[in-house]
Amino acid sequence: MIRTVILGLCLVWFIFTVFPLYWTLITSFKPPQAVSGGATYLPWVDFTPTLKAYIDTATGVRGNFFQPVLHSAIISISATIVSVLFGSMAAYALVRFTFRVRLLSGIIFAVIAIGGFVWLTEGFDFSPSAALGAVFVIAVPVAVLVNRLPLPGPTLGNEDVLFWFVSQRMFPPIVAAFALFLFYSELGQEGFKTLDTYHGMVLAYTSFSLPIVIWLMRDFFQSLPLEIEEAALVDDVPRLRIFFEIVLPMSRAGLIAVSIITVGFVWNEFLFALLLTTSDWQTLPIMLAGQNSVRGDEWWAVAVAAMVALVPMIVLAGLLARLMRSGLVIGAIK
């Protein structure tokens, strides 16, 4: 009896979850009359399916549809490759090396960076971007050198460094997006265009994705056997070669899983694309948000665009589920 009730509840939840996808799918095949004339649910029963909405989308009747799709694909893949590469390096370092960051050195870095920025912009009329670059070049090596000294105060370890990375995703996205927009605008005034560009979007999404990559890959690296790396070190194999030729091949399943998750984040991201693009590198979520016309919302065309956005994510989710069922990503995701 209890099993029947549980199965019934699971079936209800399954229908509740799948119905929006089914509704979007059948709406993409409906003629306008079937959409505006009331709710219709079954093809060939309530309405006659048509491919007109798909044909209009393919022929550009509602504008250039495939360019935003191509932009989203290029930016998602590029940002994923960069963030997974550097995020894996950072995660491996957090697992295999011991970090001791003195809190006082961080305070010194903040004082030099903030104070130097204000001093250069207010006292010497430096542009914000030039002042930011100058204080960064100075503050980083000074903080690294000071950190080597026996300073008083607390010392932060690997777990604290990891928490700092993860905490970057705790802020409301609008805070980082608006700050990045101002930074890109300043760079544009200096002659280095980053707003509405490929490299600007890849840089933004790489910084957006790095915390989650570091967090997930760290858990996976911790599950790898240390003996193989120790044997390579005994043979005097450099650490960098161990990472690329031993660790990464052993972590292939985890890299695939994290890459799929990262692609999904970037593919569906809306806020950064809204603030940092206009027309040249507009992505799919922005195009979907603007699917209307002078005749009102044409839901059959909106459904086609939604299906184009959903299909790649459904395929990636299926691939990830297959990997998880086969046990290949154990330790990659908690």
Side-chain angles (χ1 to χ4, degrees), residues 49 58 123 185 227 268:
S185 299
E227 293 77 9
N268 294 314

PDB file of all heavy atoms in Angstrom, residues 49 58 123 185 227 268:
ATOM      1  N   PRO A  49      -0.976  19.700 -36.426  1.00  0.00           N
ATOM      2  CA  PRO A  49       0.381  20.255 -36.295  1.00  0.00           C
ATOM      3  C   PRO A  49       0.877  20.847 -37.615  1.00  0.00           C
ATOM      4  O   PRO A  49       0.498  20.412 -38.703  1.00  0.00           O
ATOM      5  CB  PRO A  49       1.227  19.045 -35.880  1.00  0.00           C
ATOM      6  CG  PRO A  49       0.252  18.052 -35.366  1.00  0.00           C
ATOM      7  CD  PRO A  49      -1.017  18.266 -36.132  1.00  0.00           C
ATOM      8  N   ALA A  58      13.715  29.363 -39.360  1.00  0.00           N
ATOM      9  CA  ALA A  58      14.867  28.996 -40.187  1.00  0.00           C
ATOM     10  C   ALA A  58      15.100  29.985 -41.310  1.00  0.00           C
ATOM     11  O   ALA A  58      16.250  30.236 -41.704  1.00  0.00           O
ATOM     12  CB  ALA A  58      14.679  27.590 -40.758  1.00  0.00           C
ATOM     13  N   GLY A 123      44.873  62.327  -6.913  1.00  0.00           N
ATOM     14  CA  GLY A 123      46.055  63.192  -6.829  1.00  0.00           C
ATOM     15  C   GLY A 123      46.800  63.385  -8.129  1.00  0.00           C
ATOM     16  O   GLY A 123      47.442  64.428  -8.342  1.00  0.00           O
ATOM     17  N   SER A 185      33.339  49.508 -19.328  1.00  0.00           N
ATOM     18  CA  SER A 185      33.140  50.843 -19.900  1.00  0.00           C
ATOM     19  C   SER A 185      34.405  51.679 -19.787  1.00  0.00           C
ATOM     20  O   SER A 185      34.777  52.397 -20.726  1.00  0.00           O
ATOM     21  CB  SER A 185      31.973  51.545 -19.190  1.00  0.00           C
ATOM     22  OG  SER A 185      30.769  50.824 -19.346  1.00  0.00           O
ATOM     23  N   GLU A 227      49.200   7.469  -4.422  1.00  0.00           N
ATOM     24  CA  GLU A 227      50.384   6.637  -4.632  1.00  0.00           C
ATOM     25  C   GLU A 227      50.962   6.790  -6.036  1.00  0.00           C
ATOM     26  O   GLU A 227      52.190   6.738  -6.228  1.00  0.00           O
ATOM     27  CB  GLU A 227      50.042   5.162  -4.365  1.00  0.00           C
ATOM     28  CG  GLU A 227      49.720   4.832  -2.919  1.00  0.00           C
ATOM     29  CD  GLU A 227      48.328   5.262  -2.525  1.00  0.00           C
ATOM     30  OE1 GLU A 227      47.561   5.653  -3.439  1.00  0.00           O
ATOM     31  OE2 GLU A 227      47.999   5.228  -1.324  1.00  0.00           O
ATOM     32  N   ASN A 268      22.616  29.283 -20.121  1.00  0.00           N
ATOM     33  CA  ASN A 268      21.350  29.830 -19.616  1.00  0.00           C
ATOM     34  C   ASN A 268      21.494  31.189 -18.946  1.00  0.00           C
ATOM     35  O   ASN A 268      20.473  31.772 -18.546  1.00  0.00           O
ATOM     36  CB  ASN A 268      20.727  28.854 -18.614  1.00  0.00           C
ATOM     37  CG  ASN A 268      20.307  27.556 -19.251  1.00  0.00           C
ATOM     38  OD1 ASN A 268      19.683  27.547 -20.299  1.00  0.00           O
ATOM     39  ND2 ASN A 268      20.658  26.443 -18.618  1.00  0.00           N
TER      40      ASN A 268
END
